[in-house]
Amino acid sequence: MFVFILKRLLQSVAVLLAVGFVAFSLFRYVGDPINAMVGQDTSAEERETLREKLGLNDPAPIQFLTFIANAAQGKFGLSYRTSEPVGRMILERVPATLELSFCAAIFALFVGVPMGVYTGLYPRHWTSQLFQAVSLIGVSLPTFLIGIVLILIFAVWLKLLPSFGRGETVDLGWWTTNFLTWSGLKALILPSITLGLFQLTLLMRLVRSEMLEVMRTDYIKFARARGLTNRAINFGHALKNTLVPVITVAGLQLGALIAFAIVTETVFAWPGVGQLFIQSVQFADIPVMAAYLLLIGLLFVVINLTVDLLYFAVDPRLRSQGGAARVAGH
Amino acid sequence: MAAPSNNPPLLEVKNLRVEFPTRRGTLLAVDDVSFDIAPGEVLGVVGESGAGKSLTGNAIIGLLEPPGRIAGGEIRLEGRRIDDLPYEEMRKVRGARIGAIFQDPLTSLNPLYSVGHQLIETIQTHLPLSSAEARTRALDLLKEVGIPGAETRIDHYPHQFSGGMRQRVVIALALCAGPRLIVADEPTTALDVSIQAQIIALLKRLCREHGTAVMLVTHDMGVIAETADRVAVMYAGRIAEIGPVRDVVKHAKHPYTKGLMGSIPSLGVRTERLTQIDGAMPRLTEIPTGCAFNPRCTERGGRCLVERPDLMAVGATRAACWQHDRGGVGPAIVREAVDA
């Protein structure tokens, strides 16, 4: 177990170094950053001074190591666009994205999983068929369209919910939150649904097919033959056996939620990291893009590690290493 | 009836019919099957795959897989009709009054729960015991089924047990609420030959000690001969012959049973060739008129082609064959004439 975690940590470091290399390459191969930073009439000497100051004249490996060392301390340099420290820019916007993704994930999990269980247990019931049909829409409609339609219905026609922004937020010093004001909570609803809908349908379909599979197994039949209650069979025996694939997908999808909140943030003018990234792409603001890349890389690595650890919690077969605990003999 | 008449039967199955609606019409998989099991008795049910023996077992425990359904007849346990109980009522019967053992011990246990958890869960579903009492009972059961080191093994997971040990756990699970009847569907088929005998001996001993009756479904005549008090031979959804195991094994009355017995190799007796029954059991869609066995029967007569025989008493056994009717099988049919 310990060895496993250590191994995974080393792998994670390797993955992050690779991501770091890609991020670093952005600086070197996507044009000359000096051109983006200075005006037309800057003299060659001034450019050279700036180049020297930014360390752009050092050999590539040295630059890479400096980049990694700085990144590890959270220093990503200055934004080409606003000349602010990139680390601070991102940190300011992280709470907005994380809160949005968190709500979307909660929505997807707590609606998608029960719907999946229901459709898996009663595949022929008309409500299951309805869920299935609706989920097709969720899977096939693009996020921005869902967002726009929701805005049209709930903000424009019904005037119930705001169409953009975070509403009022409360500053906790290092974190700004939506959860403590009424307008902040209201502002969360539409973007969360928009962002979470695809994941919801994905989870529902996954749980459904896993449930259908598990309900056919011998141990479920044997659990019935033992006279266990339906509740114990459906939620104790069946659902737990669907968890391993569901955790895998849910984990990856949580990463995807955060990483690809970009579209939803754009539609709802949500001041999150995704929106910052879009602005940075328009300005070729490479330090911000590189930092964003590393942040998302880190996020996926952390989520994958958590997912791996959850496997151990769920499946006892993984805990005994290589079946060593298996006692031979009859 | 082979069961003593002064002893009311534990299980009565009367004219049971199980059918499967399909696109091409309804298939009758179990056709008019009747038998009794006395308290503490072991009834063996043999037959080829598709003879309807497992379906009969599943119908008794109320777990026919849809679209299969009971189309007629009745099943009584201790005098109480159980085939038409609502699901929740039948759930309370399963495990508590009727236990079940399935073919594959490797897949019968939930891999994510320790065997102790699964035992305690079953015990507490049916008996009003505290967790500690249930655990004690689970431990006793594990010792009883011969799991060495039960105190530590109780917290182990199914994958940490071998196949034979897992089937012992399954037996403990089937017995844990003290059922009167166990439906054992091919309990040894998936096991090594060396383990099979142990498991059968264990099952037999436990059921004798607990006074539990067993319906032992298998295609292994050897297991039946060793274990059962009575045996029912099924063919194409019907009982071909039923009677005390000694009579059926030694003096089979139905040509199909004779064929089955002839196909068992025995040690010590040198036979040139084992006999085999030509042909295969008909599919449910193609059951011939008259006796379902007639295309393969070596003793067939004219009557067998037109009229379906019911069970007829022959000594201690009953067989569904016209030979044992006073009218006989009718004029012998020349094989070529039928095949043409």
Side-chain angles (χ1 to χ4, degrees):
Chain A
M1 177 89 184
F2 177 73
V3 176
F4 173 83
I5 294 174
L6 202 70
K7 242 191 218 167
R8 274 300 147 97
L9 277 175
L10 285 177
Q11 282 172 2
S12 306
V13 169
V15 169
L16 283 178
L17 278 178
V19 174
F21 182 73
V22 173
F24 169 73
S25 311
L26 277 179
F27 286 95
R28 292 191 57 80
Y29 300 109
V30 184
D32 184 356
I34 301 297
N35 279 340
M37 292 173 83
V38 297
Q40 287 274 318
D41 49 354
T42 316
S43 70
E45 291 93 73
E46 279 173 314
R47 284 170 188 254
E48 197 47 46
T49 323
L50 192 57
R51 202 177 285 278
E52 195 62 44
K53 191 176 145 203
L54 290 174
L56 293 178
N57 286 338
D58 295 342
I62 300 288
Q63 282 191 43
F64 179 59
L65 286 180
T66 329
F67 172 76
I68 293 293
N70 285 336
Q73 299 165 47
K75 290 188 213 152
F76 295 98
L78 298 179
S79 158
Y80 294 165
R81 183 165 59 93
T82 61
S83 300
E84 282 178 73
V86 172
R88 208 181 73 211
M89 282 172 77
I90 286 185
L91 273 185
E92 271 172 10
R93 285 165 170 263
V94 157
T97 297
L98 285 187
E99 286 191 352
L100 172 63
S101 308
F102 176 74
C103 288
I106 294 288
F107 169 64
L109 271 178
F110 284 80
V111 180
V113 172
M115 274 168 81
V117 171
Y118 184 85
T119 49
L121 289 178
Y122 310 104
R124 283 167 211 282
H125 199 274
W126 68 269
T127 39
S128 299
Q129 316 258 0
L130 183 76
F131 286 164
Q132 281 284 94
V134 171
S135 79
L136 260 186
I137 300 174
V139 174
S140 49
L141 281 188
T143 312
F144 66 87
L145 189 66
I146 294 171
I148 289 168
V149 169
L150 286 178
I151 288 176
L152 183 68
I153 297 174
F154 292 99
V156 179
W157 290 348
L158 299 176
K159 300 195 184 348
L160 285 174
L161 298 166
S163 62
F164 70 92
R166 283 183 88 182
E168 289 168 42
T169 55
V170 174
D171 196 342
L172 302 176
W174 51 276
W175 187 275
T176 54
T177 182
N178 270 34
F179 294 132
L180 297 175
T181 66
W182 184 234
S183 83
L185 284 174
K186 270 188 7 187
L188 264 172
I189 296 175
L190 289 187
S192 301
I193 293 177
T194 308
L195 183 58
L197 197 63
F198 176 79
Q199 326 293 340
L200 181 153
T201 52
L202 195 74
L203 275 179
M204 182 199 120
R205 294 179 150 258
L206 178 75
V207 171
R208 174 183 175 273
S209 64
E210 290 293 327
M211 279 298 271
L212 284 174
E213 188 91 355
V214 169
M215 292 313 280
R216 274 199 296 266
T217 58
D218 286 352
Y219 56 80
I220 292 298
K221 193 181 170 196
F222 189 55
R224 285 197 198 292
R226 287 189 276 145
L228 300 186
T229 59
N230 271 344
R231 209 186 133 83
I233 291 171
N234 294 344
F235 295 99
H237 287 263
L239 188 60
K240 196 172 178 190
N241 273 282
T242 67
L243 280 184
V244 166
V246 170
I247 288 173
T248 312
V249 171
L252 290 177
Q253 290 304 316
L254 179 67
L257 274 180
I258 300 173
F260 308 121
I262 295 175
V263 175
T264 309
E265 288 185 3
T266 309
V267 171
F268 288 92
W270 192 263
V273 190
Q275 207 189 34
L276 177 70
F277 180 73
I278 290 285
Q279 288 162 357
S280 309
V281 169
Q282 281 163 356
F283 284 87
D285 195 346
I286 290 164
V288 177
M289 286 157 68
Y292 181 77
L293 201 62
L294 272 175
L295 185 75
I296 296 300
L298 179 70
L299 193 77
F300 270 93
V301 163
V302 169
I303 287 173
N304 273 325
L305 197 62
T306 316
V307 164
D308 281 337
L309 293 181
L310 281 176
Y311 287 166
F312 282 97
V314 171
D315 197 334
R317 282 168 292 188
L318 297 172
R319 276 174 239 156
S320 61
Q321 280 161 5
R326 184 183 161 132
V327 178
H330 299 287
Chain B
M1 282 298 123
S5 52
N6 57 348
N7 220 353
L10 173 74
L11 180 83
E12 291 174 86
V13 177
K14 265 189 208 145
N15 309 108
L16 179 71
R17 291 156 65 88
V18 174
E19 62 179 28
F20 281 84
T22 67
R23 256 173 230 163
R24 294 192 187 161
T26 304
L27 298 180
L28 201 55
V30 173
D31 183 6
D32 204 20
V33 162
S34 305
F35 60 89
D36 291 348
I37 300 181
E41 184 187 38
V42 179
L43 175 74
V45 179
V46 273
E48 294 167 54
S49 327
K53 50 193 198 307
S54 292
L55 282 174
T56 307
N58 285 347
I60 291 169
I61 58 176
L63 288 179
L64 277 176
E65 273 165 44
R69 61 176 184 229
I70 295 178
E74 55 179 58
I75 301 169
R76 284 175 186 275
L77 184 76
E78 299 168 312
R80 176 192 184 202
R81 191 157 175 199
I82 57 167
D83 58 295
D84 57 356
L85 286 181
Y87 183 87
E88 186 56 23
E89 287 299 306
M90 190 58 201
R91 178 187 75 68
K92 291 178 186 157
V93 173
R94 276 196 297 267
R97 311 305 296 163
I98 308 181
I101 298 170
F102 295 132
Q103 183 169 348
D104 193 349
L106 300 182
T107 56
S108 289
L109 299 169
N110 190 330
L112 303 188
Y113 290 109
S114 68
V115 299
H117 177 106
Q118 301 188 45
L119 277 162
I120 291 166
E121 171 185 45
T122 316
I123 292 167
Q124 287 196 308
T125 302
H126 299 291
L127 304 173
L129 295 181
S130 71
S131 298
E133 289 166 332
R135 191 177 163 91
T136 313
R137 188 181 168 93
L139 209 52
D140 290 343
L141 279 158
L142 286 180
K143 285 178 195 156
E144 218 185 327
V145 296
I147 306 270
E151 284 83 0
T152 49
R153 298 295 262 160
I154 189 169
D155 294 316
H156 284 185
Y157 290 89
H159 70 274
Q160 294 167 300
F161 290 81
S162 66
M165 282 296 153
R166 274 192 241 187
Q167 196 62 310
R168 286 171 193 260
V169 173
V170 169
I171 291 173
L173 275 164
L175 283 171
C176 66
R180 307 307 306 143
L181 171 71
I182 284 187
V183 177
D185 191 351
E186 310 256 6
T188 56
T189 309
L191 299 174
D192 284 357
V193 179
S194 55
I195 311 300
Q196 286 182 0
Q198 289 178 20
I199 294 294
I200 286 293
L202 174 74
L203 190 64
K204 203 175 162 180
R205 176 173 64 79
L206 286 178
C207 291
R208 202 173 45 231
E209 285 170 9
H210 292 248
T212 311
V214 183
M215 175 176 164
L216 181 63
V217 175
T218 178
H219 59 251
D220 188 340
M221 231 19 239
V223 167
I224 296 275
E226 218 174 284
T227 320
D229 300 313
R230 283 192 308 138
V231 54
V233 180
M234 288 190 74
Y235 186 81
R238 293 170 69 94
I239 293 185
E241 180 165 358
I242 180 167
V245 72
R246 183 173 290 273
D247 296 273
V248 175
V249 171
K250 291 269 157 57
H251 311 286
K253 302 293 189 302
H254 193 286
Y256 176 62
T257 320
K258 289 177 199 164
L260 273 186
M261 299 305 151
S263 63
I264 306 171
S266 46
L267 286 175
V269 185
R270 268 190 88 88
T271 328
E272 285 304 304
R273 274 185 81 147
L274 290 171
T275 50
Q276 62 172 49
I277 310 173
D278 290 329
M281 200 172 66
R283 287 199 230 164
L284 291 176
T285 44
E286 296 156 358
I287 292 181
T289 51
C291 175
F293 187 59
N294 79 51
R296 301 167 74 185
C297 186
T298 49
E299 301 165 32
R300 164 191 54 197
R303 196 175 178 186
C304 307
L305 298 180
V306 278
E307 238 181 306
R308 177 161 294 186
D310 285 320
L311 287 173
M312 290 162 237
V314 201
T317 66
R318 291 181 303 143
C321 179
W322 289 123
Q323 285 179 357
H324 307 294
D325 189 65
R326 269 161 304 170
V329 294
I333 297 292
V334 183
R335 189 169 265 270
E336 292 79 65
V338 179
D339 292 341

